[in-house]
Amino acid sequence: MSAEAILESWATNQRIHEMLIDDISSEGMRCTLSTRGGRNVVRQFAHIHNVRIYHLERRAKKLLGDLEKYETKAEPDKRALKKSLRDSAAAIATFFEDCLDGKPKRRGFKRGVIQHLSYFIAHESHHRGIILLTLKQCGHPVDKDLRMGIWDWDRLGTSDV
């Protein structure tokens, strides 16, 4: 697998987040199925960003730049959330590139970059599933074409999206 394919897969994953955020109403972003104060939709996205930061703190601190975690109950607006996710995705992409290039002081997963990429995409897809279910159950489902389109990675991996 080429570095280009790894980075394109990561970029596709990020594009899905941004497409969803664009489609979800402000009211939808505040939806939750939790009865005990758990994460609403906006905090699910913030959690994704925070996990990226967590890994950078432990594996490539110098790539953090001015990236910061959100507080547990923070609810950033859509613009700020997209910027945070875009910036943390760029830092993770640099981390992957550094690992592939054998750059010192980059501690990826012991079994390599593919496993690390897979972990991130699996984790983030899990939270997207929670987001989609929450929105559906709360009466704010995302557009059907988008709901189906996030699975068309052949198309999402191009600039035609």
Side-chain angles (χ1 to χ4, degrees):
M1 177 171 278
S2 71
E4 184 179 312
I6 291 167
L7 297 174
E8 181 58 35
S9 293
W10 181 241
T12 299
N13 180 68
Q14 175 60 26
R15 275 194 291 282
I16 293 169
H17 293 312
E18 293 183 39
M19 291 165 49
L20 284 172
I21 290 168
D22 286 342
D23 191 70
I24 300 169
S25 68
S26 295
E27 187 177 79
M29 292 296 273
R30 303 293 182 262
C31 289
T32 183
L33 296 177
S34 175
T35 58
R36 299 181 310 160
R39 294 183 189 113
N40 61 15
V41 170
V42 71
R43 289 187 353 227
Q44 292 285 345
F45 283 115
H47 168 75
I48 290 168
H49 167 77
N50 284 352
V51 169
R52 292 173 179 179
I53 300 304
Y54 170 86
H55 281 270
L56 290 169
E57 287 172 342
R58 278 142 190 82
R59 300 172 187 282
K61 232 177 190 158
K62 290 189 179 192
L63 294 179
L64 283 169
D66 61 355
L67 295 174
E68 293 184 12
K69 286 183 182 178
Y70 285 111
E71 294 296 322
T72 302
K73 301 287 183 177
E75 294 188 3
D77 64 31
K78 290 168 72 167
R79 193 174 118 225
L81 189 58
K82 280 177 59 174
K83 181 181 180 340
S84 295
L85 285 166
R86 198 174 294 130
D87 291 348
S88 62
I92 294 292
T94 300
F95 169 74
F96 287 149
E97 288 177 299
D98 288 354
C99 288
L100 289 164
D101 290 342
K103 188 166 185 172
K105 298 191 178 181
R106 295 294 181 260
R107 295 182 26 238
F109 279 14
K110 290 178 184 173
R111 293 187 359 216
V113 174
I114 301 294
Q115 184 167 3
H116 211 142
L117 170 70
S118 299
Y119 162 82
F120 275 116
I121 291 177
H123 173 257
E124 295 182 11
S125 295
H126 161 74
H127 286 283
R128 284 197 299 262
I130 292 170
I131 288 166
L132 292 171
L133 179 62
T134 297
L135 291 167
K136 180 181 177 183
Q137 293 294 317
C138 291
H140 295 276
V142 298
D143 176 76
K144 182 182 178 187
D145 289 338
L146 176 59
R147 200 170 58 244
M148 300 309 288
I150 65 174
W151 296 105
D152 189 358
W153 279 51
D154 283 333
R155 183 165 177 260
L156 290 171
T158 69
S159 59
D160 296 338
V161 177

